[in-house]
Amino acid sequence: MELSFTQGRWNYDRWGGFDPISSNNAKPPGVELWAVFDVPLEHVDDSWKNLTHALSGLFCASVNFLESSTTYSAPEWGYRPAPGSLRYGTLPREAVCTENLTPWLKLLPCRDKAGLSALMDRPSIYKGFYHSQRLRLTSSEFESEEGGSGIVLQQTLTVVVQPDSERNVMSYSHETKLQPSWSLTSIFGRMVTGRCVLAKSSTVYLQLDRGLVGQLDYLQKENELSNADKSVYEGFSSNPGFELSVKPDRVLKELNGFEKKTPSVVYEFYIEKYSESRPFDLGLTWKLPVVWSCQKAPLHASRFLMGSGNERGAIAISLRSTEVSDELLHTDMSEGRCKLEVKVFQVVPWYIKVYFHTVRVYVNEQPQEVSDVVEKMRVSPSVDKVSPGVMEMVLKFPCGMKSAAITLEFDKGFLHIDEYPPDANQGFDIPAAIICFPNFHTSMQFFTDKSVDRSSILSKFQENNAVLAYTEVLLVPLTTPDFSMPYNVITITCTVCALYFGSLLNVLRKRVGEEERSAKSKATKETGRLRQLLSRVSAKLRGRPFELPQPPSNSSSFISSKLILFILVAGIAVFWQVYFG
């Protein structure tokens, strides 16, 4: 099982795409979960639902949304070789915050209180360009005195941060910038005061990319330094390009194998010898402007939408050759191999009606026959409100290809009003497609040493994994209803009902005598004292008893007006019930 929480998107052009770090740790935005179950096939879906609920409660996330059959798929061969028992799901819009990182840190033996995990300062991590926390569980049998099997837990945190010193660095040219000097304090705001007491080992590795090592060798040759190889691979203070603040305990050099002109270098630092009185603060200071770029994937993959409107559209996957592919294809051509194999795995939600028979393939902007390029293809059409659409393809492109494109047409479906999310006007996400290059691997082999085999990071570097890349997450606008209409209907209905029942109760509860008495009292109040005095004097002069002036009787008019209002409201209610009920 592997679960990842990612914020941001990995930049394959700037941060590399042909090394173990980018191929294994670069993940799509949001949540990605895949699991292989060792249960009967009829129990795989139930096990998947139980797993999603457990992970959702553990990491305070919405992983339980993956329990629905509309959000996960079952790849056969396009993603990982586990037919039938593999389940894959992703939530591109899941927001990643400290509530997800804290449970992840609690799985560490010393949490974030000691050891290397003390560097995991929340503001430093979340202000970076990219961060991804990954959890991998593997059931394995290990050798012990008693024997048995167990669970291997691997936790990986990948962060791309910007040193504070980069803001004050001036550009040496309009195109490239000087590499920023950095230290652990400038990046994370903390230093390492020693290893965790529960850890058997605690090691920091600093890797110099192959392109950087080649550029440093070029600078050494320009400066006419003697024994240039040792200045890079064995020393650190004599290098003309940079200077390390801490002397490395060991320097590992990658074996110069096939297709590797300049090997990379790894500096190893042991944390056991550092303490609070002598903290570990690794820093690198550049002496000269060094311009270099990370190794890119064989093909740069991107995905975008075509068309306009809320009815139809198309998904296009673009593949563009890089310098790496040109060199490797030239080598393959000399050896008689003249095909570049690419695997594409893509999941589309059920409300995006993809027509897989509309697949079009273009090579160097020229249309090609699908059978000439697509060697193998498996599609699983979507079922409304049941399962998403899945496409797995194996493509083989000719040598010398500069660009290629794959297009698929689709129609946009309609959702029930209860199925729309709160932010429906923002659009709906199509998960990232997975592009795999099975003929290219990212393993790094070092000189044979037992300590290399015991290191988990170096052993990961030596694994022979295929180059893997993720495309962008697409945002598709769908036709959305006017969500204010239910509010308007409820408001109008409540107003009519209030008027009807209020008027009805008012007519039924009031009595005629009460109306007359209230009218007399009102008339009495309105008659002034002077008028009453004149009336009394006039009555005495005439010899008649004094009587208050009687106001005009309006009981009959009042009753008639109330009756008309009652009949009108009742008619409106009957009309509404008959035609709109």
Side-chain angles (χ1 to χ4, degrees), residues 51-70:
L51 176 65
T52 55
H53 281 275
L55 294 176
S56 179
L58 179 62
F59 289 97
C60 300
S62 304
V63 187
N64 59 318
F65 287 173
L66 293 175
E67 71 165 349
S68 174
S69 60
T70 59

Side-chain angles (χ1 to χ4, degrees), residues 72-90:
Y72 68 88
S73 59
E76 294 291 339
W77 42 263
Y79 182 58
R80 293 184 182 273
S85 59
L86 172 64
R87 294 295 181 269
Y88 175 85
T90 177

Side-chain angles (χ1 to χ4, degrees), residues 290-304:
V290 180
V291 179
W292 63 283
S293 60
C294 297
Q295 291 190 355
K296 301 178 182 180
L299 294 176
H300 175 76
S302 62
R303 191 177 59 163
F304 54 90

